Amino acid sequence: MRRLVLALLFAPSLSALALDAGPPVPIPPALVADGLPPVSRALAAEVARYTEFRSASFVAWHPVDHHLLISTRFGSTQQIHRVKRPGGDRTQLTFAAEPVANATYDPVAGRYLLFGKDSGGDEFTQIYRQDLSDGRITRLTDGGRSQNNNPRWSHKGDRIAYSSTRRNGADSDLYAMDPLHPESDRRVASVEGGGWSVTDWSPDDRRLLVVEQVSVNETRLWSVDVAEGTKTRVSPDGAEPTVWHSALFHPDGKRAYVLTDRDAEVAYLALLDLATGEVRRVSGARSWEVERFDLSRDGGTLAFVVNEEGLSKLFLLDTGTGAEREVREVPVGVIGRIALHPDGKQLAFSVGSSAAPADVYAVDLKADAVTRWTESETGGVLLALPQPEVVRWKSFDQREISGFLYRPAKHFAGRRPVLVVIHGGPEAQARPNFRSQWSYLLDQLGVALLEPNVRGSTGYGKTFVKLDNGMARDGAVQDIGALLDWIEQQPNLDASRVMVYGGSYGGFMSLASATQFSDRLRGAIDVVGISNFATFLENTEDYRRDLRRVEYGDERDPLMRAYFNRTAPLTNAGKITKPLFVIQGANDPRVPRSEAEQIVAATRKNGVPVWYLLGTNEGHGFNKKENQDYLFFATIEFLRLYLLPEEEAAPAAAGR
């Protein structure tokens, strides 16, 4: 869920802006601003360069040539581009109004692309074919209110397998299709639940490896006969719920490489015998989790990424000898998608950090040389973001909680105000990714940024991720209370000037903090957040409901429903005594618009300022640049008025 809003959040201040700056910036046509003050043109002019950064994410290799597909933005949304050589031009291939972040070449000759795209952020993703000879685009899936996800190519390259909810909107059935002949589309197997996805085809293209997600702590691995549709569970039972994911067939077709936490606290790379269920650890013992991997076509090389307290390390493993080696030339940061070229000679990946946007690199496996393929623009801003400090504090139960602290520029004296940014998920992790806007907050406003990884976050083992489940939810909120205590003890942080921000589940955390710690906060910002888990579960899309019930609890259980209603920010909205800013996408399939509107209505009864910004062409977060920019401006206006009034001249507000 981190794609939500973390890249959209922050904007520059109105300090030192002229009073008479002409008419305000027009509100984008798709936004509805309720209770927000106008945004001055002077603000937009001051901020413009902080909105023009780009990033580049690796998408896929060309099957024959050493060309790359990347995702980057040159207009309103991210689209697919081709790069033919390191440092080469980015040639745009897709030109959709909606974001296109994933694509793949046909694996035989690279004559056409497959890509997925939704409408207005509704996440009902459809699969399209784009013929590269003439640019013609053909929709391959039904085009209705269905999710069509994770297409995987057969080894012969004549079919894809994917999951779709088209049958009833809730269950992710398995389908196969020849993309050149959409009429060949057929359902391979019907399933129960919305958490099924195809990960690989067997070497003979007769079977599929399929993952069934039950919860963040439990998944099952199945083998599915493509012709008959019969399913055989191949992941063994264990003494406790176990995760199996990202499975790829071994070239012998009898085994599979898979990430699992069986008999361990964190996930590792293993080789699973599909007939006997025997599990053999492949990656070396370590206390941090392996989060992704890829296998060369000949099965001789495994590349995998380890998440060490938020930072990534890349390793190569010789499957014949078992020898591992770290690729040490990789920039320090967070690694995204990785993939070996079909010829096995190069590995491509993207990596970004708090100091630089993500860019694409490739490793020559023989020479161990890392080459940079893209260099993304930063809008003319000379970035000076520091590497964050890992900070730790003890919570109410003496459990240690950690987070990332970004300190303001050194020229800001005294105790500095703090913006606490709480990630979504909750099965996610705050990591030191790039956010251009933070450069302005740190260097121009002097605001410290603090990203906590409260209980329930991933990356710290399966025990930690389960600590907030069900009726233990308030423990995560109390982690924020303990963080406020920690801030009071820091000589350079101002505990009297703290604001909380969060998106999705982080939006719930922001609202919950506003009800429980209102006397210790200056305000709260909620982006697509949950205001009552009972109403959220009743109204979220069918394909998500059962997965969310495992995490949050079942609203149909009277005891659980009573807990939801007793602890809900909506129930306790009368305790919110500080300003609130709520941001919502009208087409959000995860956290429906009603969650935002009910908390807005309830909080306005308190007589405190409540701003509400609705994106009518957005879903779970804002993805269109014009909407992102306006949110950017408005967020800084909110910070200036309510977090920084002692430092900011207030004539802009007084002049309205």
Side-chain angles (χ1 to χ4, degrees):
M1 294 185 175
R2 288 177 64 80
R3 79 178 180 87
L4 304 177
V5 269
L6 287 180
L8 321 177
L9 312 187
F10 308 110
S13 121
L14 288 176
S15 58
L17 296 182
L19 283 178
D20 185 11
V25 172
I27 300 173
L31 294 186
V32 179
D34 180 2
L36 279 68
V39 172
S40 77
R41 291 185 182 273
L43 168 63
E46 180 183 330
V47 170
R49 61 192 182 125
Y50 290 89
T51 71
E52 295 301 333
F53 74 93
R54 296 186 178 92
S55 62
S57 299
F58 168 64
V59 174
W61 283 107
H62 190 280
V64 180
D65 301 319
H66 282 254
H67 300 168
L68 293 176
L69 293 180
I70 68 168
S71 175
T72 191
R73 179 194 59 76
F74 277 86
S76 177
T77 59
Q78 285 203 321
Q79 298 295 318
I80 300 299
H81 296 67
R82 179 181 59 224
V83 182
K84 290 188 174 181
R85 62 183 181 278
D89 292 338
R90 289 167 280 190
T91 302
Q92 189 166 339
L93 300 179
T94 64
F95 294 85
E98 303 295 339
V100 181
N102 294 294
T104 178
Y105 282 108
D106 81 84
V108 176
R111 294 173 299 168
Y112 60 90
L113 301 179
L114 297 185
F115 65 88
K117 179 177 67 67
D118 72 1
S119 178
D122 62 11
E123 298 186 19
F124 293 117
T125 301
Q126 305 300 318
I127 301 173
Y128 297 81
R129 185 189 76 231
Q130 179 169 335
D131 300 305
L132 295 178
S133 60
D134 59 8
R136 185 185 300 273
I137 295 175
T138 303
R139 193 185 73 235
L140 302 180
T141 47
D142 71 324
R145 287 179 61 83
S146 65
Q147 283 202 326
N148 302 274
N149 292 326
N150 301 313
R152 295 289 183 264
W153 283 102
S154 64
H155 290 271
K156 189 177 178 180
D158 60 342
R159 286 173 293 170
I160 58 170
Y162 64 100
S163 61
S164 176
T165 62
R166 74 184 63 162
R167 176 169 57 90
N168 58 14
D171 300 319
S172 297
D173 297 330
L174 310 175
Y175 288 78
M177 176 204 301
D178 177 353
L180 291 176
H181 300 281
E183 69 277 7
S184 68
D185 192 32
R186 71 178 182 89
R187 189 189 313 155
V188 172
S190 298
V191 299
E192 293 184 3
W196 295 73
S197 60
V198 179
T199 62
D200 200 15
W201 291 71
S202 62
D204 61 7
D205 286 341
R206 294 181 179 180
R207 290 170 293 149
L208 302 174
L209 278 177
V210 179
V211 168
E212 175 197 6
Q213 183 181 13
V214 179
S215 72
V216 69
N217 287 110
E218 182 178 6
T219 57
R220 300 162 186 157
L221 187 62
W222 298 79
S223 174
V224 178
D225 185 290
V226 178
E228 302 295 331
T230 53
K231 305 186 294 293
T232 304
R233 183 173 169 181
V234 294
S235 56
D237 289 323
E240 60 181 353
T242 301
V243 167
W244 309 85
H245 69 95
S246 306
L248 297 175
F249 273 102
H250 186 280
D252 65 13
K254 300 177 181 179
R255 295 172 290 173
Y257 289 102
V258 64
L259 295 179
T260 181
D261 61 4
R262 179 180 171 86
D263 299 325
E265 187 63 26
V266 298
Y268 57 90
L269 184 56
L271 188 59
L272 171 66
D273 188 301
L274 301 177
T276 67
E278 178 186 357
V279 179
R280 179 171 68 85
R281 180 188 285 264
V282 174
S283 57
R286 46 179 50 89
S287 57
W288 299 102
E289 69 177 14
V290 178
E291 59 183 353
R292 57 177 50 89
F293 75 96
D294 194 31
L295 176 68
S296 63
R297 183 169 290 182
D298 64 6
T301 302
L302 277 165
F304 63 94
V305 177
V306 177
N307 171 4
E308 295 191 2
E309 199 160 27
L311 292 174
S312 300
K313 290 190 175 180
L314 177 63
F315 294 85
L316 298 173
L317 186 150
D318 185 311
T319 61
T321 65
E324 289 182 12
R325 70 182 190 275
E326 182 181 353
V327 183
R328 297 190 178 276
E329 293 184 27
V330 176
V332 174
V334 180
I335 295 175
R337 172 173 164 74
I338 66 171
L340 288 150
H341 190 277
D343 67 11
K345 295 180 180 180
Q346 290 193 78
L347 171 75
F349 60 95
S350 48
V351 60
S353 70
S354 61
D359 271 306
V360 179
Y361 296 76
V363 183
D364 183 309
L365 270 60
K366 184 176 181 180
D368 259 4
V370 177
T371 302
R372 184 172 183 170
W373 276 65
T374 65
E375 187 167 355
S376 294
E377 301 86 349
T378 59
V381 177
L382 296 177
L383 298 172
L385 280 177
Q387 287 291 338
E389 304 170 31
V390 177
V391 296
R392 308 178 197 278
W393 62 96
K394 291 290 182 70
S395 194
F396 66 96
D397 56 358
Q398 296 305 300
R399 183 174 296 274
E400 184 176 81
I401 308 297
S402 65
F404 294 105
L405 172 63
Y406 297 80
R407 294 190 183 275
K410 293 181 179 179
H411 62 264
F412 288 99
R415 292 177 178 266
R416 302 310 307 160
V418 182
L419 184 64
V420 176
V421 181
I422 310 169
H423 68 72
E427 303 104 335
Q429 181 184 16
R431 304 183 70 172
N433 290 302
F434 176 76
R435 276 81 102 184
S436 172
Q437 300 92 333
W438 286 23
S439 179
Y440 193 94
L441 290 178
L442 295 167
D443 293 341
Q444 304 300 322
L445 298 186
V447 174
L449 299 164
L450 214 166
E451 289 189 286
N453 277 312
V454 297
R455 66 191 64 209
S457 301
T458 55
Y460 302 92
K462 60 187 180 186
T463 298
F464 191 81
V465 82
K466 291 187 288 189
L467 289 175
D468 64 342
N469 286 4
M471 292 188 187
R473 182 69 45 201
D474 192 59
V477 183
Q478 297 312 310
D479 291 342
I480 299 299
L483 175 58
L484 298 177
D485 295 338
W486 180 86
I487 291 172
E488 287 182 349
Q489 301 167 11
Q490 306 310 305
N492 297 318
L493 302 180
D494 187 350
S496 71
R497 291 188 292 166
V498 179
M499 187 175 285
V500 289
Y501 165 90
S504 191
Y505 173 76
F508 158 77
M509 289 288 291
S510 181
L511 292 172
S513 297
T515 66
Q516 296 196 32
F517 314 120
S518 193
D519 60 332
R520 307 177 70 181
L521 299 174
R522 288 291 184 93
I525 302 173
D526 156 34
V527 183
V528 297
I530 299 162
S531 57
N532 186 326
F533 284 111
T535 55
F536 156 74
L537 289 166
E538 289 171 341
N539 295 310
T540 193
E541 286 292 332
D542 292 346
Y543 61 85
R544 305 188 71 254
R545 189 172 293 112
D546 286 341
L547 292 172
R548 294 296 83 204
R549 282 171 174 157
V550 177
E551 167 68 32
Y552 298 129
D554 192 332
E555 82 287 359
R556 298 168 299 183
D557 179 335
L559 292 177
M560 196 72 237
R561 191 177 190 90
Y563 174 80
F564 285 155
N565 287 330
R566 183 173 68 253
T567 60
L570 180 62
T571 305
N572 295 282
K575 300 176 183 178
I576 300 177
T577 60
K578 302 295 172 57
L580 176 66
F581 186 9
V582 176
I583 299 100
Q584 179 67 40
N587 305 319
D588 192 342
R590 305 187 192 190
V591 180
R593 165 182 183 172
S594 53
E595 290 297 303
E597 296 185 342
Q598 63 191 14
I599 194 67
V600 167
T603 307
R604 281 181 170 162
K605 295 177 182 177
N606 302 337
V608 298
V610 179
W611 299 9
Y612 180 39
L613 187 63
L614 177 70
T616 61
N617 65 343
E618 299 283 9
H620 201 57
F622 285 11
N623 281 309
K624 276 75 171 183
K625 186 177 183 299
E626 61 274 15
N627 298 340
Q628 294 177 5
D629 290 351
Y630 199 86
L631 170 58
F632 189 18
F633 307 151
T635 300
I636 288 305
E637 174 74 340
F638 191 79
L639 296 177
R640 189 192 71 83
L641 290 174
Y642 302 120
L643 183 64
L644 302 170
E646 293 86 352
E647 299 187 20
E648 295 285 332
R656 294 192 178 98

